Amino acid sequence: MSESTPITPDPNQPEAIDLVANNPSEQVIATSDRSAKTRQLLGMKGASAGETSIWKIRLQLMKPITWIPLIWGVVCGAASSGNYTWTLENVLKVAACMLLAGPLMTGYTQILNDYYDREIDAINEPYRPIPSGAIPLPQVIIQIWVLLIAGIGLAFVLDVWSGHEFPTITAIAIIGSFIAYIYSAPPLKLKQNGWLGSYALGASYITLPWSTGHALFGELNSTIVILTMFYSLAGLGIAIVNDFKSVEGDRQLGLNSLPVMFGITTASWICVVTIDVFQGLIAAYLVSIHENLYAAILVLLIIPQITLQDMYFLRDPVKNDVKYQASAQPFLVLGMLVTGLALGHAGV
């Protein structure tokens, strides 16, 4: 057997490769910093403090990561109307409605919540703009009012654009802004009660944007409102997921979130049961209106959610809450679209 030939380093290797070889920890730190800054900008858990750009700070306050479900809800509502067609005017209407539901109304809601939660965030998320002192409170208040007024104004424009005799979309925007206020602000502060707060959040993420998208292209009726409020009970489960990250601060300040009320294990089971059961009941309703294919697709989308609940969430809901949401929620929101298409097809 011949001897192996020794490998001699090439003296002409690029300097960058040599730096990576000699300082791998620096590359890990740089990657970690980029990840933390991205999380900070999107308003996610695990962010870092230190941002100085006032516009990035304002964007962070609006938590862009939370806009996605409401923007998707608008799409589901347009589908359930049964009247959406791919024209330039309709695309522009949907885009304007997404702006209303996401950056404006959700942005308003998130900043309002951060304003009233600044003491809790000082414990749970001290890197947030308000507890970290990155933005003065008077500027926060101004941003809240700007987003609220712009949102209600755009809602009225959409009503006029859609030819509504009654300003349905404006009414939904006003109702949504009121729910956001009583959810976060004393004396009601619905989030102090785990059940009321979680359902208010779930309904805000499903019923309100869905009803807005439906009203944009069709006539909003009681059946759609009731069905989406029922679907919001699955959204209640999603809202509970968000409570696990703040359980310590909630407990210290006397907020009765479900993890505080029932403990981590029981609350995690309440969470997954509400998510799965109420989606299953929606599938049963689709069968009752003879939309069997859509019902079967919805059931198939529930199965991976159950699998991911067992893999991640039920094993450690505090550690795996973000991982679970990232992996399971795409199946939930696809199920919402399937339901919207079914309702539109059935002419409900």
Side-chain angles (χ1 to χ4, degrees), residues 141-160:
I141 294 170
I142 291 172
Q143 190 171 353
I144 289 171
W145 278 106
V146 167
L147 291 173
L148 176 61
I149 293 169
I152 293 174
L154 179 56
F156 182 75
V157 169
L158 288 171
D159 276 319
V160 173

Side-chain angles (χ1 to χ4, degrees), residues 20 23-36:
V20 170
N23 302 286
S25 60
E26 291 185 9
Q27 189 178 50
V28 171
I29 292 170
T31 302
S32 177
D33 287 345
R34 285 195 297 271
S35 175

Side-chain angles (χ1 to χ4, degrees), residues 3-345:
E3 291 184 37
S4 59
T5 305
I7 300 174
T8 305
D10 183 354
N12 297 318
Q13 287 287 339
E15 183 180 350
I17 296 177
D18 186 56
L19 285 172
V20 170
N22 293 328
N23 302 286
S25 60
E26 291 185 9
Q27 189 178 50
V28 171
I29 292 170
T31 302
S32 177
D33 287 345
R34 285 195 297 271
S35 175
K37 287 182 179 180
T38 301
R39 287 175 174 272
Q40 180 187 25
L41 193 62
L42 293 176
M44 297 172 66
K45 186 173 75 170
S48 63
E51 182 58 65
T52 56
S53 168
I54 188 61
W55 296 109
K56 288 184 179 180
I57 291 169
R58 292 188 185 282
L59 184 63
Q60 183 189 359
L61 272 173
M62 295 163 65
K63 294 185 182 177
I65 195 69
T66 64
W67 303 349
I68 299 170
L70 288 101
I71 289 172
W72 188 257
V74 170
V75 175
C76 297
S80 69
S81 74
N83 298 320
Y84 181 82
T85 55
W86 288 98
T87 66
L88 177 59
E89 182 181 15
N90 285 348
V91 170
L92 292 175
K93 277 185 180 180
V94 168
C97 198
M98 289 176 173
L99 174 63
L100 168 66
L104 297 181
M105 297 310 298
T106 309
Y108 153 80
T109 300
Q110 294 296 344
I111 300 175
L112 190 72
N113 186 63
D114 269 22
Y115 176 80
Y116 285 106
D117 272 5
R118 54 191 184 274
E119 292 180 1
I120 298 175
D121 286 345
I123 299 170
N124 294 321
E125 300 178 271
Y127 49 80
R128 295 291 303 158
I130 296 176
S132 69
I135 184 169
L137 286 181
Q139 291 195 33
V140 174
I141 294 170
I142 291 172
Q143 190 171 353
I144 289 171
W145 278 106
V146 167
L147 291 173
L148 176 61
I149 293 169
I152 293 174
L154 179 56
F156 182 75
V157 169
L158 288 171
D159 276 319
V160 173
W161 196 352
S162 300
H164 293 162
E165 293 183 7
F166 177 81
T168 307
I169 297 174
T170 305
I172 294 171
I174 292 172
I175 291 170
S177 62
F178 176 71
I179 292 173
Y181 180 79
I182 63 174
Y183 173 80
S184 298
L188 293 179
K189 202 174 180 73
L190 296 181
K191 67 183 298 179
Q192 288 180 329
N193 181 289
W195 294 109
L196 290 176
S198 296
Y199 182 74
L201 195 60
S204 297
Y205 273 70
I206 296 179
T207 298
L208 295 178
W210 193 315
S211 297
T212 303
H214 190 101
L216 194 63
F217 297 103
E219 184 176 347
L220 185 61
N221 57 67
S222 58
T223 301
I224 292 296
V225 173
I226 292 169
L227 279 173
T228 54
M229 288 180 70
F230 188 79
Y231 216 137
S232 296
L233 290 166
L236 180 149
I238 296 298
I240 297 170
V241 175
N242 296 319
D243 289 335
F244 287 93
K245 72 177 185 297
S246 10
V247 64
E248 290 304 322
D250 290 349
R251 186 178 288 117
Q252 289 181 39
L253 295 175
L255 296 182
N256 289 322
S257 66
L258 293 187
V260 172
M261 292 169 64
F262 296 103
I264 298 295
T265 301
T266 302
S268 64
W269 275 103
I270 293 172
C271 176
V272 300
V273 167
T274 54
I275 291 172
D276 300 336
V277 167
F278 288 103
Q279 286 183 92
L281 292 173
I282 290 290
Y285 173 78
L286 295 184
V287 172
S288 74
I289 59 172
H290 310 295
E291 296 295 336
N292 298 335
L293 176 60
Y294 289 106
I297 295 171
L298 180 55
V299 170
L300 290 175
L301 290 169
I302 297 171
I303 293 171
Q305 293 178 62
I306 295 173
T307 304
L308 292 164
Q309 286 160 3
D310 178 61
M311 287 174 58
Y312 298 131
F313 189 69
L314 290 173
R315 299 188 183 190
D316 192 340
V318 176
K319 179 181 178 181
N320 295 329
D321 60 339
V322 174
K323 184 184 294 185
Y324 165 69
Q325 286 180 308
S327 57
Q329 281 199 25
F331 296 102
L332 183 139
V333 298
L334 283 174
M336 290 171 55
L337 180 59
V338 167
T339 303
L341 290 168
L343 297 176
H345 184 260

